[in-house]
Amino acid sequence: MKKQIIGMMCLTAMMSSCHIYKAYDRPETIDASGIYRDPASATDTLASDTANMGNLPWKEVFRDAKLQALIEEGLANNVDMQAAALRVEEAKVMLTAAKLSYLPTINLAPQGSTTSMGGGNYVKAYQLPVAASWEIDLFGKILNTKRGQKVAYEQSQYAEQAVRSQIICGIANVYYSLLMLDRQVEITTETAAIYKENVRVMEAMKIAGMTTEAAVAQMRAASHQVEASLMDLKRQVRETENSLAVLLAKAPQTIERSTLDEQVMPEELAAGVPMQLLENRPDVKMAEMTLAAAYYTTNSARAAFYPGLNITGMAGWTNGSGIQVSNPGEFMLQALASLAQPIFNNGKLIANLKVSKAEEKIAQMNYQQTILEAGKEVSDALYLFDTQNKKLVEDRGQVEQLDKAVTYTKALFQSGDATYLEILTAQQNLLSAQLSEVSDNFQRMQAVINLYSALGGGRE
């Protein structure tokens, strides 16, 4: 008796040492510290702050009512979103099936036979049993399978969150691109009208002998260039509308929208504490769930070294006992317990454990790499936002000065101290600066979208 007790204690200690029953914990080696770079700090270290833009509901970040309506439409109709929701349901069903593995399987297995010996009478035998089989989970085989399926379910939920975030930020990005193009079309249209007037004035001046045909031709060429640029911008508007319509899962069509000047964006961005990325960002959580799944696969590979206990039973009616056939039939009951301990499996169990450990290590490295990639995206977005803020100040100063330059050049021309070529150059420079300002303003908006996405925004 003492030997049996000692044997059971040793077995328990052995199971504890190999963590068959231990649930997944995040490895201590996973490090998220210092993955953000401060765009302004001389030490290159971003000060930690619990405020996190990624925790904001998307309607607080994207406040344009027309954009909000488009995002809601996209979330309801987008094919990728619907597919992600179905995958969550699939994983949920599989998890339910894994939980039911603890219960016995019960089957109705009726059988019948007819036998004749030496041309004699036919002997008919039958069985009408209910068969049951139950695997006792002594060493965590079913437990680790269930935990692994639970991880797969959670991973599908995070994948749905990732798709949701991509749709929200994708629609916002295309929408703002559309507003940028609208503004560029507006500026270029106004410039094209100015150039047409310039051509008219130059032609009148030529008739009056105040300029040459070469100057008129040059002005006409500049006007044609602006008109061609306007056509190209309008083409981009049409293509961007079509892209946004596809995101909304509908045929290409005109998109109702606001203007660029109406948009309200935050003046400062909060990135929060780097450790929040581990909980907030869907792709980081998916990488961790991959690691957890690999951990449970390794546990299952360890559990395969231990015996399996199965209990089977059968109950029902039969008229054949195996020795003779009697009528009427009688009730029968049978129970069997079997214990199978792996002894020699051609090294398959050892190989499977080694492969599982290697895959778990790979999953851990991928998890850490995903964290680093997330930190890079946050750092890039912060720097882009800071850069565009500074560029916009310079852009606005440049536009203001070039607008003055056009006015002054026209005044000089009227006094005979400047040529019309100088007016043309000043107007071209102003157009280029105005378009650049609009583009940089869009880049600033894009930085907000990028940071919101990088911090795991759009979960709610």
Side-chain angles (χ1 to χ4, degrees):
M1 186 66 181
K2 291 182 178 179
K3 291 182 178 180
Q4 292 177 346
I5 294 174
I6 293 173
M8 290 298 295
M9 292 175 63
C10 291
L11 181 60
T12 302
M14 183 171 60
M15 288 189 296
S16 300
S17 64
C18 61
H19 305 289
I20 288 177
Y21 291 104
K22 185 179 178 182
Y24 165 81
D25 283 325
R26 182 178 297 156
E28 295 181 358
T29 54
I30 296 299
D31 184 20
S33 60
I35 60 172
Y36 296 166
R37 295 183 66 182
D38 192 333
S41 172
T43 60
D44 212 26
T45 302
L46 187 68
S48 296
D49 186 354
T50 54
N52 189 327
M53 181 184 176
N55 292 331
L56 295 175
W58 62 266
K59 286 189 176 181
E60 293 187 19
V61 179
F62 308 118
R63 301 177 184 178
D64 186 322
K66 293 179 180 178
L67 172 57
Q68 290 179 353
L70 292 173
I71 290 175
E72 288 176 345
E73 184 179 357
L75 292 175
N77 300 332
N78 184 270
V79 174
D80 292 335
M81 191 68 199
Q82 294 177 358
L86 289 174
R87 291 190 183 97
V88 172
E89 290 301 316
E90 290 176 0
K92 185 177 181 180
V93 171
M94 295 301 294
L95 175 58
T96 300
K99 290 179 179 178
L100 293 175
S101 297
Y102 285 103
L103 302 177
T105 58
I106 301 175
N107 298 287
L108 178 63
Q111 299 178 11
S113 65
T114 301
T115 306
S116 175
M117 299 292 291
N121 294 331
Y122 284 93
V123 177
K124 298 178 181 179
Y126 72 87
Q127 287 187 350
L128 190 60
V130 174
S133 177
W134 187 19
E135 181 179 357
I136 308 299
D137 192 30
L138 292 177
F139 302 101
K141 295 179 182 178
I142 298 177
L143 174 65
N144 283 293
T145 299
K146 185 202 73 172
R147 286 174 171 173
Q149 197 57 57
K150 183 180 180 181
V151 163
Y153 173 58
E154 292 176 353
Q155 191 172 40
S156 70
Q157 290 179 310
Y158 292 126
E160 184 182 25
Q161 289 181 12
V163 173
R164 177 184 173 85
S165 178
Q166 289 169 4
I167 291 173
I168 291 171
C169 294
I171 291 175
N173 190 48
V174 178
Y175 182 80
Y176 290 140
S177 297
L178 202 50
L179 300 189
M180 174 194 69
L181 290 169
D182 285 344
R183 180 60 183 143
Q184 289 182 334
V185 166
E186 183 182 346
I187 292 171
T188 307
T189 300
E190 293 172 356
T191 304
I194 293 172
Y195 274 49
K196 286 181 179 178
E197 177 62 19
N198 289 344
V199 170
R200 189 193 66 79
V201 171
M202 289 291 287
E203 288 174 343
M205 291 176 64
K206 176 182 174 295
I207 294 173
M210 298 174 63
T211 189
T212 64
E213 180 65 31
V216 174
Q218 192 169 22
M219 182 57 69
R220 286 173 181 160
S223 179
H224 288 311
Q225 182 182 19
V226 173
E227 289 290 344
S229 176
L230 180 59
M231 293 178 188
D232 190 51
L233 286 171
K234 288 181 177 180
R235 174 188 58 79
Q236 293 180 51
V237 168
R238 178 63 64 93
E239 292 176 353
T240 305
E241 282 185 319
N242 294 345
S243 297
L244 185 50
V246 171
L247 272 177
L248 303 177
K250 59 185 182 182
Q253 57 192 267
T254 300
I255 301 297
E256 185 179 355
R257 53 194 182 269
S258 303
T259 64
L260 192 67
D261 294 337
E262 293 178 272
Q263 304 308 305
V264 178
M265 306 301 289
E267 294 299 324
E268 295 182 0
L269 303 184
V273 179
M275 284 298 292
Q276 292 174 331
L277 271 187
L278 305 188
E279 303 301 332
N280 292 353
R281 189 161 154 149
D283 62 332
V284 173
K285 291 298 295 183
M286 288 169 63
E288 183 174 17
M289 292 302 100
T290 300
L291 173 58
Y295 172 84
Y296 290 126
T297 300
T298 302
N299 272 1
S300 295
R302 290 190 178 106
F305 286 90
Y306 298 101
L309 176 61
N310 285 276
I311 298 175
T312 58
M314 184 181 297
W317 283 266
T318 182
N319 71 335
S321 63
I323 301 174
Q324 63 180 3
V325 176
S326 61
N327 286 298
E330 296 182 358
F331 183 78
M332 67 170 183
L333 180 64
Q334 183 182 45
L336 174 66
S338 63
L339 186 68
Q341 168 63 57
I343 296 177
F344 180 72
N345 285 281
N346 298 325
K348 292 180 180 179
L349 297 180
I350 295 175
N352 188 42
L353 179 59
K354 288 182 178 179
V355 170
S356 298
K357 286 182 176 179
E359 291 297 326
E360 184 180 350
K361 184 64 177 177
I362 292 171
Q364 182 172 335
M365 293 188 294
N366 288 339
Y367 179 32
Q368 181 66 62
Q369 186 64 30
T370 303
I371 294 171
L372 295 177
E373 292 290 339
K376 170 191 174 298
E377 291 180 16
V378 173
S379 299
D380 289 349
L382 287 170
Y383 197 78
L384 177 61
F385 184 79
D386 183 68
T387 300
Q388 295 310 121
N389 274 338
K390 294 175 181 176
K391 284 186 68 177
L392 278 173
V393 173
E394 303 301 329
D395 288 341
R396 287 162 185 160
Q398 183 184 29
V399 169
E400 182 182 354
Q401 295 304 314
L402 288 174
D403 188 51
K404 291 180 180 179
V406 170
T407 302
Y408 296 154
T409 306
K410 286 181 178 179
L412 289 171
F413 175 76
Q414 291 174 355
S415 64
D417 295 326
T419 65
Y420 219 86
L421 179 60
E422 290 177 287
I423 295 178
L424 176 61
T425 301
Q427 288 175 335
Q428 288 176 330
N429 290 339
L430 176 60
L431 173 61
S432 177
Q434 288 174 324
L435 296 178
S436 294
E437 180 188 7
V438 173
S439 178
D440 287 339
N441 192 18
F442 165 70
Q443 289 289 326
R444 181 181 181 276
M445 293 177 176
Q446 198 170 46
V448 175
I449 298 172
N450 292 350
L451 182 62
Y452 188 60
S453 175
L455 293 172
R459 301 186 305 279
E460 55 181 273

